[in-house]
Amino acid sequence: MSDLACDVLIIGAGPAGLAAARAAAQSGQSVLVLDDNLRPGGQIWRDGPNVALPSMAQQFRQAVGALNNVTLLNGVKIVAQCGPQKILYEDAAGSGIVDYQALILCCGARELLLPFPGWTLPGVTGAGGLQAQIKQGLSIKGERVAIAGSGPLLLAVAASVVKAGGEVVMLAEQAPAARLAAFVGGLWRWPVKLRQSFSLFNRHYRPDSYVLEASGDPRLTAIRMQKGRREVILECDRLACGFGLVANIELAMLLGCRIQNDAVDVDPYQQTSQPQVYAAGECTGIGGSELALAEGAIAGYAATGNLMQVLALTAQRDKWRQFAGAVARTFVLNPVLKTLATPETLLCRCEDVPLHQLSGSADWTAAKLSSRCGMGACQGKICAAAARHLFDWSLPAPRIPLTPARAATLARLGGGESEG
């Protein structure tokens, strides 16, 4: 790879990033999109051998791919900020520095995984994690799959399991029935979501339910769960368990952007607290693909000075922000989920750190000093989010590199020459 320059740099090629690129390109300025996946689309529009992409995803891919002033680079990791309006990146071929005039962060989100006894057993994954594996070709035909956690994603995962030939034996939603009923009753305000809820209906859906323990040796064979007021044991071959999403805000924090409610804070033009830095999509708050598309387009137009188009999209963004608010209120996590892990339950899977090693720690920094928690390959992306939820700790400050990188790449931070 080599050093690059552009007018608008977009980090992330999910719905928000693709919408931002399409909008920004209308100005005629040069647009560069960097994404860590091998194909554009983000997590929600993830490509793979077992995927029939929705028409909207195909439309945006084709539209952005046809733009002569847009360059899309996939399989790219963002390593660090290395100067004013400069980003250091790495891919399989080498590394480089991007010099940009405006930056749009469309970094998306990741699953919130909370520890419980047995959550590290083979056969236990995140809900979105299992869906991603299915899209990439994982065969689950004939397997009994339990799905648990919280949020609308669980229904989509169940649909993916059924389509792949698996058997959904339980779909456990921790939110109470009353809140779910109120949420469904208000979906008439978003007809597309109402229709979607009918298409994703699964007869095994149970409110007020969550996993207490996963068991099996050497891999998962059963789960013990709270099902309403009863405890039950359910045999299964796989458990997909996720408790919603958390925004990817590490790069924004590194750039000095203001964070509010664990997401990047933006103004009506999707601009962050930093000049010429914009943000859109899930990194500004979990809201789904419709909101991400609206915010991405607004950010693209605002970053290139097309404020009339920004105003034209404001009502659409507000509509989907209202939906996002309804989702957030409905799927608030039950405090009992903080109590499921035992002292011996692993919190950090990368470094095998049990929960008891963090006892007495005042914050994430103290926890890392007293153990190797967060020092593994994921650099705390899983365990730090879990610890933040379990202990109500403040957000840990990100450090560079943002992701593991080669020594030759890190040498660029000291002003070394490009690898080419």
Side-chain angles (χ1 to χ4, degrees), residues 47-95:
D47 207 350
N50 293 338
V51 179
L53 286 175
S55 58
M56 184 69 74
Q58 296 179 31
Q59 174 189 332
F60 270 88
R61 279 192 181 187
Q62 293 167 3
V64 172
L67 296 169
N68 294 328
N69 58 329
V70 175
T71 301
L72 173 62
L73 298 180
N74 289 104
V76 174
K77 300 186 297 182
I78 304 302
V79 178
Q81 179 188 27
C82 55
Q85 297 178 298
K86 294 180 186 295
I87 290 289
L88 174 64
Y89 71 94
E90 178 184 276
D91 74 353
S95 65

Side-chain angles (χ1 to χ4, degrees), residues 305-319:
N306 192 341
L307 302 187
M308 291 298 293
Q309 288 289 350
V310 170
L311 296 176
L313 289 167
T314 299
Q316 181 181 345
R317 178 184 59 190
D318 291 346
K319 169 186 174 181

